[in-house]
């Protein structure tokens, strides 16, 4: 049994899943303990549940037909027995597989036990005292491995929780900073305007009021986007998926944007694409964010939008010929609050592209950026094509 001890010690010092580790121990113990089947059962909500099963010798080929000792496990897990021996001595059938000898052992100290180890020998020999002792050692190893795995799992859960809490703390501190900046401006300029000991000419007053107005807009925009992003992250933003065509949506949003901004120069290169399952309000929001960014970061530069498809995806490409984004910032621009250092004084929250990505991902799609400094920026969106009954084709907008 020394080999078995050594195998156990080795597996304990390597981060193996408990099943792999136990399997190694079982293989090593085989030379000391004859067993055809080794099965581990745990107490589940619907009775005993096999969580490990190994066929070692005889009856390996007939795994589906033989008895795996679930009755024995039941006596341990539900009958609160710590040791069950069952021997089939009948001689009516010469097939060994029809004569299983069972040794069942409780593998933990709980009352009733939560884990049972069942060893099966087909056609004997019966389990002797020494076999039972070896079986107990095996059960003890099993208990160590399972307890260790449980602890590991708990530790991982705790670490995930800790990470989440840290993110939340970062979020709160970033948010308070983001809110404080516009509030500071608003407070400063209103205090200046209200001072009794100062006289402001009309132009200065207007300039101050304009700054206040812009900062209030920024606050409102920040709050709106924060709410959206929080809802998107917690999956509580409702999506209303319907059959729709992306090329039609691009046309609609572009017309709206051009009516709002007469300087905007947009080229559309759209091919009629297959229907998708999408939330048209949310997808419009994605496009509006891209338009808003193009206006802010590439003012006056022409925009081109293309659409096409292959067998799996419908694609939308949104390009501007603006200043572009430096390569070192590109990997981060979809992260919450990330803003690349600005050459213009464009205001923003760093939430727009995060929201775009979340919306696209909620559609099982992808969004990427390709950009070269001085040449422009391209956002590539892909959304899964959906197959639609032909009769419905005409009804889609
Ligand atoms: P915001 O515009 O509020 O800062 P976004 O999440 O929409 O936040 O964008 C993140 C960053 O990506 C921006 O701060 C900007 O640096 C960069 N960016 C986005 N779109 C463009 C673009 N079309 N051209 C250049 N830079 C862009």
């Amino acid at each position: 049994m020394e080999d078995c001890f050594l195998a156990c010690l080795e597996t304990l010092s390597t981060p193996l899943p408990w099943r792999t580790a136990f399997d190694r121990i079982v293989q090593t113990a085989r030379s000391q303990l004859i067993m055809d089947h080794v099965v581990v059962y745990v107490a589940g909500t619907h009775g005993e549940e096999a969580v490990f099963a190994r066929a070692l010798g005889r009856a390996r080929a007939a795994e589906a037909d033989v008895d795996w000792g679930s009755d024995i496990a039941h006596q341990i897990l539900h009958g609160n027995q710590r040791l069950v021996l069952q021997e089939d001595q009948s001689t009516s059938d010469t097939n060994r597989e029809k004569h299983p000898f069972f040794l069942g052992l409780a593998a933990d100290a709980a009352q009733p036990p939560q884990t049972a180890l069942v060893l099966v020998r087909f056609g004997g020999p019966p389990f002797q005292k020494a076999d039972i002792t070896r079986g107990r050692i095996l059960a003890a190893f099993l208990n160590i491995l399972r307890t260790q795995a449980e602890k590991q799992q708990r530790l991982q859960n705790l670490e995930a929780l800790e990470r989440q809490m840290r993110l939340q703390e970062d979020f709160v501190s970033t948010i308070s900073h983001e809110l404080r900046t516009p509030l500071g401006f608003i407070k400063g300029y209103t205090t200046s305007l209200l001072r009794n000991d100062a006289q402001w000419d009309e132009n200065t007053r207007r300039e101050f009021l304009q700054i206040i107005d812009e900062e209030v807009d920024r606050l409102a925009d920040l709050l709106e986007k924060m709410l959206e992003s929080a809802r998107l992250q917690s999956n509580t933003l409702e999506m209303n998926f319907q059959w729709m065509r992306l090329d039609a949506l691009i046309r609609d949003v572009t017309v709206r944007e051009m009516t709002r901004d007469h300087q905007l120069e947009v080229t559309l290169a759209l091919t009629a694409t297959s229907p998708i399952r999408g939330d048209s309000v949310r997808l419009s929001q994605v496009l509006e964010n891209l338009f808003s960014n193009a206006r802010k970061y590439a003012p006056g530069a022409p925009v081109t939008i293309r659409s096409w498809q292959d067998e799996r995806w419908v694609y939308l490409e949104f390009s501007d010929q603006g200043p572009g984004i430096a390569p070192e910032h590109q990997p981060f621009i979809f992260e919450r609050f990330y803003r690349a250092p600005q050459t213009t004084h464009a205001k923003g929250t760093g939430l727009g592209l995060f929201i775009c990505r979340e919306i696209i991902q909620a559609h099982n799609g992808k969004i990427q950026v390709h950009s070269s400094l001085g040449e422009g920026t391209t956002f590539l969106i892909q959304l899964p094509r959906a197959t639609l009954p032909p009769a419905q084709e005409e009804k889609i907008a």
Side-chain angles (χ1 to χ4, degrees):
M1 217 54 193
E2 286 88 355
D3 287 351
C4 189
F5 276 117
L6 280 177
C8 184
L9 286 176
E10 256 169 41
T11 53
L12 286 181
S13 55
T14 47
L16 286 174
W18 76 263
R19 285 183 183 80
T20 319
F22 188 58
D23 199 38
R24 281 197 192 170
I25 294 169
V26 166
Q27 298 287 355
T28 325
R30 266 179 87 182
S31 56
Q32 306 287 318
L33 183 59
I34 303 166
M35 46 199 173
D36 294 317
H37 279 180
V38 181
V39 197
V40 177
Y41 288 90
V42 294
T45 36
H46 306 294
E48 54 285 341
E49 207 178 292
V51 290
F52 174 95
R54 188 78 157 112
L56 293 159
R58 285 163 281 186
R60 221 167 162 173
E63 281 170 20
D65 310 326
V66 297
D67 189 344
W68 288 83
S70 57
D71 285 352
I72 309 292
H74 189 83
Q75 291 176 49
I76 295 169
L77 301 175
H78 300 281
N80 203 6
Q81 302 211 35
R82 304 208 60 84
L83 169 73
V84 179
L85 267 174
Q86 191 177 297
E87 302 178 354
D88 185 342
Q89 305 282 15
S90 63
T91 48
S92 56
D93 197 325
T94 51
N95 186 352
R96 297 177 76 102
E97 288 149 26
K98 299 280 189 268
H99 303 291
F101 287 60
F102 293 104
L103 167 61
L105 292 159
D108 58 49
Q111 297 262 1
Q114 297 299 299
T115 317
L117 174 66
V118 178
L119 308 179
V120 194
R121 284 175 176 175
F122 292 102
F127 289 96
Q128 305 292 332
K129 209 166 158 222
D131 296 325
I132 297 173
T133 308
R134 286 177 185 138
R136 284 209 166 105
I137 294 173
L138 210 55
F141 285 154
L142 170 68
N143 190 32
I144 295 172
L145 289 174
R146 282 187 48 86
T147 312
Q148 203 185 22
E150 239 166 61
K151 279 198 186 131
Q152 196 70 31
Q153 185 60 51
R154 248 184 247 155
L155 195 71
Q156 274 171 8
N157 292 350
L158 269 179
E159 278 168 1
L161 209 67
E162 214 179 307
R163 231 181 359 257
Q164 249 174 23
M165 280 172 66
R166 226 176 305 131
L167 270 180
Q168 211 147 334
E169 271 168 31
D170 287 355
F171 177 69
V172 171
S173 72
T174 320
I175 279 295
S176 15
H177 174 78
E178 291 295 320
L179 291 176
R180 216 173 287 139
T181 315
L183 278 178
F185 274 114
I186 295 168
K187 178 73 186 156
Y189 284 105
T190 42
T191 308
S192 302
L193 283 173
L194 288 171
R195 273 172 63 174
N196 290 327
D197 58 343
Q199 296 290 324
W200 308 107
D201 61 43
E202 186 52 28
N203 279 348
T204 315
R205 266 168 46 84
R206 275 205 74 78
E207 194 190 322
F208 284 8
L209 284 171
Q210 198 135 16
I211 294 171
I212 293 170
D213 190 49
E214 276 171 19
E215 293 302 322
V216 169
D217 282 349
R218 190 169 163 210
L219 264 183
D221 182 45
L222 177 65
L223 284 176
E224 172 78 16
K225 285 193 168 143
M226 263 170 53
L227 269 178
E228 289 263 303
S229 77
R231 283 196 205 116
L232 277 163
Q233 252 202 343
S234 60
N235 281 333
T236 50
L237 188 79
E238 234 171 73
M239 294 273 170
N240 180 14
F241 290 106
Q242 280 170 348
W243 291 108
M244 54 167 286
R245 281 194 191 280
L246 194 61
D247 48 331
L249 178 119
I250 297 171
R251 230 174 252 116
D252 286 355
V253 177
T254 307
V255 169
R256 268 206 311 272
E257 291 285 331
M258 289 176 86
T259 324
R260 204 184 294 164
D261 178 358
H262 295 291
Q263 313 292 319
L264 193 64
E265 198 185 308
V266 186
T267 308
L268 293 183
L270 308 179
T271 43
T273 48
S274 292
I276 57 164
R277 291 286 291 167
D279 180 327
S280 54
V281 174
R282 298 286 160 212
L283 289 177
S284 301
Q285 197 181 347
V286 170
L287 262 180
E288 280 156 12
N289 270 337
L290 296 183
F291 269 117
S292 152
N293 280 353
R295 258 200 300 273
K296 279 195 293 189
Y297 305 110
V303 167
T304 306
I305 310 177
R306 294 175 220 281
S307 73
W308 70 96
Q309 65 186 31
D310 60 22
E311 300 87 63
R312 286 188 58 201
W313 304 96
V314 171
Y315 297 88
L316 182 168
E317 189 189 71
F318 188 106
S319 316
D320 67 52
Q321 293 169 31
I325 305 168
E328 64 270 29
H329 298 296
Q330 289 175 26
F332 309 109
I333 58 167
F334 294 102
E335 284 183 11
R336 208 134 74 134
F337 300 116
Y338 193 86
R339 304 199 72 215
Q342 310 296 322
T343 42
T344 60
H345 294 291
K347 297 254 164 51
T349 57
L351 285 171
L353 288 177
F354 168 80
I355 291 173
C356 290
R357 189 191 61 182
E358 292 295 304
I359 293 175
I360 296 299
Q361 284 180 350
H363 284 75
N364 295 321
K366 296 177 195 166
I367 179 166
Q368 306 166 38
V369 65
H370 302 282
S371 185
S372 305
L373 279 180
E375 287 179 22
T377 303
T378 297
F379 290 95
L380 177 66
I381 293 173
Q382 56 191 94
L383 295 162
R385 261 174 81 164
T387 34
L388 184 76
Q392 284 192 35
E393 286 262 350
E394 296 123 45
K395 294 187 210 148
I396 299 160

